[in-house]
Amino acid sequence: MDLTPQPPLSTAVVDTPAALEMAGLSLRLGGTPILRDIDLKLAPGRVLALLGPSGSGKTTLLRLVAGLLVPDAGTIHLAGKLVAAAGHALPPEARGLGMVFQDYALWPHMNVAGNVGFPLEMRRMPAPERAKRVARALDRVGLAAFAERRPSELSGGQQQRVAIARAIVAEPALVLFDEPLSNLDRELRETMVGEIAGLVEELGLTALYVTHDHSEAFSLAHEVAVMEAGQIAQIAAPEDLVADPASVSIARFLRLGALLPVQRGAQGWYLRGGAFLAPPEAAPEKTDTVLLPSRALSVTEPRAGMLTATVTRTLFRGDGHWATLALDGGHDIQLLLPHRPAPGAVLGLQISHGSLRWFPSSPSKRTSP
Amino acid sequence: MRRQGGAPQGLLTALAAVLLTVIVAAPFLFIALQAIFPKIGAGSLAAPFSAMADVLSAGRLPRATLNTLIMGVGTVIVSALIAVPLAAIRALYRLPGAALWDVIFLVPFMIPPYIATLSWVMTGQPRGYLEQLTGQNIAGLLFSVPGIVIILALHCFPVVYFALSRSFAAIGGRFADVSRVFGAGPLRAFLRVTLPLALPGLAASLILVFAMAIEEYGTPAVLGTRIGFRVLVTGIDEAIGDWPVDLPGASTLALVLVAMATAAYLAQRRLLARGGFETTGSRPLQADRRPLGRATLPALLLFGAVALVSTGIPLLAVLATALAKTISGGLAPENLGLQNFTAVLATSTTARSALLTSLGLGLVAALLTGLLGAFAAFVVLRTRARGRFYVDLLAALPNAAPGVVVALGMILLWNQPWWPITPYNTLSILVLAYVLLLLPQPVRYTTAALQQIAPSLDAAARVSGASELTMARRILLPLIGPHLLVAMLLVFVVAARELVASLLILPVGHQTIATFIWRQFDQGSVGLGMAMAFVTICLTTLLPLVVLIAARRTEDIG
Ligand SMILES: Nc1ncnc2c1ncn2[C@@H]1O[C@H](COP(=O)(O)OP(=O)(O)O)[C@@H](O)[C@H]1O
Ligand SMILES: [Mg+2]
């Protein structure tokens, strides 16, 4: 197979190649299709998050990029260079990447400096220069004083910082993160998201960041690719994803608000068996589900003609009261309220109609109004 | 770019398959062929299965098989009777000197049974040490089937003791305490929770004891031959060693023995695979254990008695014999002297050259077995090539190979006239036999170690720029190194004093430690043999003991 970068067809278009480009990538493992027809493109200096529920194939996709797996179909280009095609792959050591693993994957028989210096050693960097680079990388992650420690003598957060230092020390053109924070407790996770964001900005890293936590993806990435069952369901900037999810399942996975069944009635669109929502022109013909984003709703005194809801349950959550409200027609929605409502109280709900999102029954792609 | 599961993996797997085919599979194949085609040595496939029929009709096979079963089952029962109470006390109660008892009970396991047997003969025979001290001898018990079984059990019971005390402790600490919270008394907690949960582990260790007993040569050869108690191992030995040589008969007996050992191995693996309930790392604290109270003294007496019979008496008998100027002089201060030890260690004696030969063979065998075992385990666990299942099978095959069968396989394979060159009648045939015999040790240790290494450690190295080989050298090898070293130590110890295979395929003009001791007992100076035995025990028991204890200590810290 030809390994040299393919010359661009038209010499007029000489822009920098994408740091990573996948086309039509598919993989089966043990007969089951794990990834199907993946297309992705990542420009240098950008961060792309792969967001999806557990088992959706994120790790597998990352392992394909790293060269730890070989695709059945499709191609992968790194910086314009073909590195994988059906049944063929450049081995991982020839790709010059950095990678952070979910379980840290620090080598227990080497100390921190040995772990971080390993990629430089593999690139045959002389020892004095290597020591300097290792010290700088450890300094970046705030572990300059820990160079001589064994990984087992560090806390989980410190171990993951070492793993990050190892991934960036050789200044790779692309860094892969596989749920790096999922083994840490919540407080530490929030701190670490900030630290990684700082590093990414400071070093101008190009990164593919896998996670199942949408707040992590939204905080770190320029673009988010939502994965569902081995396919990419939507690629968008975080803000666009929240404002305009492409399907019911994406909206549900991102927990953007209540998803309720709707039906066409005399005046327009109604909750099924319940209250009036919007005039006929708000949504196309085949619509059957509406997304009521939490931020599209505000609670007022109930007035005539208004959508009303009855409080069935509340839980105090520290930042407010998490209330379950029953709507006419047997629909439930959940809202964060500033004050504890009395159980059984009737509230009025004001809807900002522009924020409602309408979905057709099937196929799951949303049709624009 | 490389194809999936690229060339290096395929090459490595093929290399492992070829090595194991020559070293492991071929000897077994030749035994099977010889058993089926008795005239194959003359290049003829005539009269297939006739030898099997002969062996069967002469009644040799059923008798030897039955005797082997009696010896195996008897050893299992006696081992369990000794080990279960000891393990329960050790694991569940605060036994004074607990760690020390553990070390003491390692010793009988490390003393080769043929040495223990010889020392019991010195002790128990008419006018032996026991009669000199008490006026009584136990020759009647010693030269009997129960005598054989008891001596084997005194060697094997530590296997059960260690397996069981570990699982009793883990279970007693975790599950039994819970049952006590819910109202079970200590005895009920033991009977209803601890014992049932420990049963799979107990059964697995008893099956291991069975396999050790049916493969043993020295004890039935010394004690059984005199009373006409012939087992499969001694039957094979006689068929090869006594005129007229009966290779087809030996091969038939060997197939039965291999079948029994295979069944035991598979049963043990099944039981262990089903999984114990004890979790590692939940070693109970001394404080969780109950005090023995008034039972302390009886418990200590029990432990002391077992230690005396299994360790004390054999060692003292070996030492007394080695230090005696003449055997007829008996146990008397004026009969003591160091001349036997001087002879063993003096230059240019047969004894010293046997010692050096065995140590050298042990060292070479340990290195080669370790390398081959680690290589096979790596291929099985870390490559994707299809041949790895074959490698896995061949690496497990020697688990069913007693020493006498290995020797027979070496003779049948390498003593063929058509080989242009052959290791037969050189020391390298012994190395080949030891490698085949002991291959399971490094395979088992390395497999366990490799399984503990998360695959992401490999992946991290590859992504960091290491090739497959660099990764194996820089990441896997250092991580499995300590385990491999322990396995090689074990190989060294067992190979350096291996008896039956060495006896049968010893090249002309050479002696090993075991064959030297064996022949001195038969026809030479028993004192010289026992001096050699004592030196060997010190070299091959104390040295590994120290290393193992040190290794366990570092494991505790690490
Ligand atoms: N070696 C394998 N053989 C068969 N199926 C696998 C293998 N590895 C992963 N899978 C399957 O592939 C799917 C995706 O796995 P993975 O990429 O780990 O998901 P994620 O990282 O999104 O949680 C899962 O359904 C998993 O069961
Ligand atoms: Mg994953």
Side-chain angles (χ1 to χ4, degrees), chain B residues 158-392:
Chain B
V159 173
V160 185
Y161 169 80
F162 285 111
L164 208 54
S165 60
R166 196 175 313 130
S167 58
F168 273 167
I171 295 163
R174 292 178 60 231
F175 297 103
D177 282 1
V178 175
S179 76
R180 299 196 64 190
V181 170
F182 289 107
L187 187 62
R188 277 235 293 216
F190 180 76
L191 291 179
R192 290 288 307 280
V193 178
T194 308
L195 196 58
L197 284 177
L199 270 185
L202 173 62
S205 64
L206 289 179
I207 291 173
L208 185 62
V209 167
F210 178 80
M212 287 167 63
I214 64 172
E215 296 178 9
E216 181 51 37
Y217 168 75
T219 308
V222 172
L223 302 178
T225 316
R226 201 186 289 188
I227 55 168
F229 181 76
R230 197 166 282 104
V231 291
L232 288 167
V233 172
T234 49
I236 297 168
D237 171 52
E238 282 168 24
I240 308 174
D242 295 356
W243 191 259
V245 172
D246 176 13
L247 290 178
S251 300
T252 307
L253 295 178
L255 285 189
V256 178
L257 186 56
V258 167
M260 282 167 77
T262 308
Y265 169 70
L266 291 178
Q268 191 212 358
R269 203 160 90 155
R270 252 252 348 226
L271 280 167
L272 290 179
R274 221 188 291 162
F277 300 93
E278 56 265 33
T279 50
T280 51
S282 70
R283 218 169 285 169
L285 301 168
Q286 188 69 5
D288 295 340
R289 299 198 162 111
R290 283 181 284 285
L292 275 164
R294 272 188 305 167
T296 308
L297 192 62
L300 284 178
L301 284 177
L302 178 66
F303 273 74
V306 173
L308 180 70
V309 177
S310 66
T311 312
I313 291 178
L315 283 183
L316 286 174
V318 168
L319 198 58
T321 315
L323 287 174
K325 286 182 183 152
T326 61
I327 296 302
S328 51
L331 289 175
E334 63 276 8
N335 192 29
L336 291 180
L338 285 173
Q339 77 291 342
N340 283 327
F341 286 100
T342 331
V344 166
L345 300 172
T347 43
S348 71
T349 58
T350 329
R352 196 175 120 122
S353 81
L355 191 64
L356 293 181
T357 303
S358 272
L359 295 182
L361 284 173
L363 210 61
V364 175
L367 284 175
L368 292 181
T369 315
L371 283 179
L372 183 62
F375 181 42
F378 172 80
V379 164
V380 169
L381 286 180
R382 295 289 159 120
T383 66
R384 303 246 138 264
R386 236 174 294 137
R388 72 185 197 278
F389 297 111
Y390 178 70
V391 171
D392 192 19

Side-chain angles (χ1 to χ4, degrees), chain A residues 318-340:
Chain A
D319 53 348
H321 296 268
W322 186 243
T324 306
L325 311 176
L327 304 180
D328 282 348
H331 308 291
D332 275 349
I333 63 172
Q334 263 133 5
L335 267 188
L336 195 63
L337 303 178
H339 308 291
R340 184 187 283 278

Side-chain angles (χ1 to χ4, degrees), chain A residues 191-206:
Chain A
T191 324
M192 292 283 295
V193 167
E195 287 182 20
I196 294 178
L199 265 182
V200 164
E201 187 150 0
E202 213 175 297
L203 302 176
L205 294 183
T206 311

Side-chain angles (χ1 to χ4, degrees), chain B residues 446-522:
Chain B
T446 339
T447 302
L450 274 175
Q451 276 166 344
Q452 280 175 7
I453 300 173
S456 63
L457 292 189
D458 304 18
R462 299 298 303 282
V463 174
S464 298
S467 68
E468 226 156 347
L469 282 178
T470 310
M471 184 273 292
R473 190 169 53 80
R474 294 288 311 272
I475 309 297
L476 296 184
L477 207 56
L479 287 174
I480 61 171
H483 305 262
L484 187 57
L485 219 59
V486 170
M488 297 209 296
L489 190 69
L490 215 63
V491 172
F492 169 76
V493 167
V494 180
R497 59 195 202 192
E498 199 280 336
L499 175 63
V500 59
S502 315
L503 271 180
L504 289 172
I505 54 176
L506 198 65
V508 178
H510 289 282
Q511 291 267 9
T512 69
I513 288 177
T515 62
F516 179 83
I517 297 172
W518 193 252
R519 288 181 182 167
Q520 293 305 317
F521 200 82
D522 252 7

Side-chain angles (χ1 to χ4, degrees), chain A residues 54-55 57-60 102 178-179 210:
Chain A
S54 172
K58 310 180 296 291
T59 296
T60 309
Q102 188 167 5
D178 188 3
E179 310 214 25
V210 161

